[in-house]
Amino acid sequence: MQSQTRIRRWPWIAIGLSLAVAFTLSMVSPADSVQGDLVRIMYVHVPSAWLAYLAFFVTFIGSVAYLITRSLRWDRIAAASAEIGVYFTGLAIALGMTWAKPTWGVWWTWDARLTLTAIMFFVYLGYLALRRTTDDQVLRAGRASVLGVLGAIQIPLVHFSVIWWRTLHQPPSLVRPDGPAIQDPMMLAALIGGVVAFTIVYVSLMVKRIELIHLEDRKVDMESAVERPVAGEAVTAPELGASS
Amino acid sequence: MSQWAWVAFAYTIAYGSLVVFAVSIAVRIRTTRRSIGDTE
């Protein structure tokens, strides 16, 4: 019993520890020669954006696997990842706006990267809304999987938008052909530490979110079992006390 | 606003919303478990 509780709690402990390490690294890293202390916003903005990509890619994998195997386990993985992905996309947009205001002078501009990220955010909000249109688990999984596959087209579009189009947004910081743009080892450690920490947070949230979807499906099954007539319309209640 | 004020604002959004998101999942798990009588 005690070991079960310990297993159920490890995701929360992992989230707390990884965030504490990421916060410490981002605070002890030096200020940037151009942006000053504002560069510290990058240590939460870039990991959030990376997590959005990862989460929607996992949704894509789960959706494809569901369409091939028809196993609801894959649909649960896709759904859990989409919800976490929507959260991290929203967070990346909010943090990007908070970084843009003091550096660009505006909260928002219709730049290719920003616009495509906003579209991706709304498409996956639509994915979550689509899942709420029915309680039928098989029907829901089929509909959502199609959108989960189609929606993934946006991931490379968003990532490479800063290379394919002339944009105000800076090019990728870490994943680029000529290596990371950051040279200072402490700044690089803060950025990579943030990416690793947020990935651990994602995995931990996934474990708990899948557990929640499983419980919710059990609840729907139990409720529909209670509402279902025992023997159909062939059985009718006897009329007690009726005279012949 | 000073640069540190912007950083504090961004970190409050990031870490604050993460805590709220994690707690919301924990609460939903607990209430769903109770509603189906799962005391595991």
Side-chain angles (χ1 to χ4, degrees):
Chain A
M1 184 69 184
Q2 203 174 15
S3 64
Q4 254 186 353
T5 310
R6 212 175 292 147
I7 290 166
R8 271 168 48 187
R9 281 187 183 161
W10 76 258
W12 307 130
I13 297 165
I15 289 172
L17 285 176
S18 51
L19 287 183
V21 170
F23 182 77
T24 308
L25 282 173
S26 61
M27 288 299 127
V28 298
S29 70
D32 182 58
S33 57
V34 178
Q35 293 208 23
D37 288 309
L38 287 172
V39 76
R40 295 178 207 283
I41 298 175
M42 178 175 71
Y43 307 137
V44 281
H45 171 68
V46 172
S48 304
W50 148 247
L51 253 299
Y53 294 158
L54 176 69
F56 295 146
F57 182 68
V58 171
T59 298
F60 168 73
I61 296 292
S63 302
V64 170
Y66 173 78
L67 291 172
I68 294 168
T69 65
R70 298 286 164 179
S71 164
L72 286 173
R73 203 174 57 140
W74 287 110
D75 178 59
R76 289 192 186 114
I77 291 173
S81 197
E83 187 180 294
I84 298 170
V86 165
Y87 162 70
F88 276 108
T89 310
L91 183 60
I93 292 171
L95 293 173
M97 290 168 74
T98 310
W99 197 7
K101 180 62 181 165
T103 50
W104 297 346
V106 288
W107 291 100
W108 182 267
T109 179
W110 294 103
D111 168 276
R113 167 65 72 83
L114 275 64
T115 307
L116 288 170
T117 307
I119 291 170
M120 184 168 78
F121 177 69
F122 286 111
V123 166
Y124 281 95
L125 267 184
Y127 173 93
L128 296 180
L130 182 67
R131 295 191 65 87
R132 288 178 169 269
T133 54
T134 176
D135 278 340
D136 184 324
Q137 292 176 29
V138 175
L139 189 61
R140 181 181 67 190
R143 288 175 183 172
S145 296
V146 173
L147 187 55
V149 171
L150 294 176
I153 296 165
Q154 300 167 100
I155 302 170
L157 275 178
V158 170
H159 183 72
F160 292 110
S161 58
V162 285
I163 296 168
W164 292 340
W165 290 286
R166 189 189 298 251
T167 66
L168 183 60
H169 193 285
Q170 67 191 53
S173 308
L174 278 177
V175 185
R176 40 195 288 161
D178 53 343
I182 299 157
Q183 300 301 323
D184 184 278
M186 279 301 287
M187 292 170 85
L188 200 56
L191 185 56
I192 293 173
V195 168
V196 171
F198 273 48
T199 307
I200 293 170
V201 169
Y202 165 76
V203 172
S204 307
L205 288 174
M206 275 293 283
V207 170
K208 301 310 282 185
R209 192 64 190 83
I210 290 169
E211 182 185 340
L212 176 59
I213 292 178
H214 186 65
L215 288 169
E216 285 172 344
D217 285 348
R218 267 177 64 191
K219 187 181 174 186
V220 170
D221 285 344
M222 285 169 73
E223 284 170 353
S224 57
V226 168
E227 288 164 9
R228 202 176 298 137
V230 179
E233 291 175 359
V235 176
T236 52
E239 289 181 31
L240 298 174
S243 57
S244 56
Chain B
M1 275 212 303
S2 73
Q3 288 193 337
W4 273 107
W6 282 108
V7 172
F9 181 53
Y11 275 67
T12 305
I13 292 172
Y15 285 77
S17 66
L18 261 173
V19 169
V20 170
F21 188 63
V23 168
S24 78
I25 292 176
V27 170
R28 284 158 72 191
I29 287 174
R30 180 174 283 204
T31 50
T32 311
R33 270 193 193 286
R34 279 186 186 164
S35 68
I36 60 175
D38 187 343
T39 54
E40 189 186 312

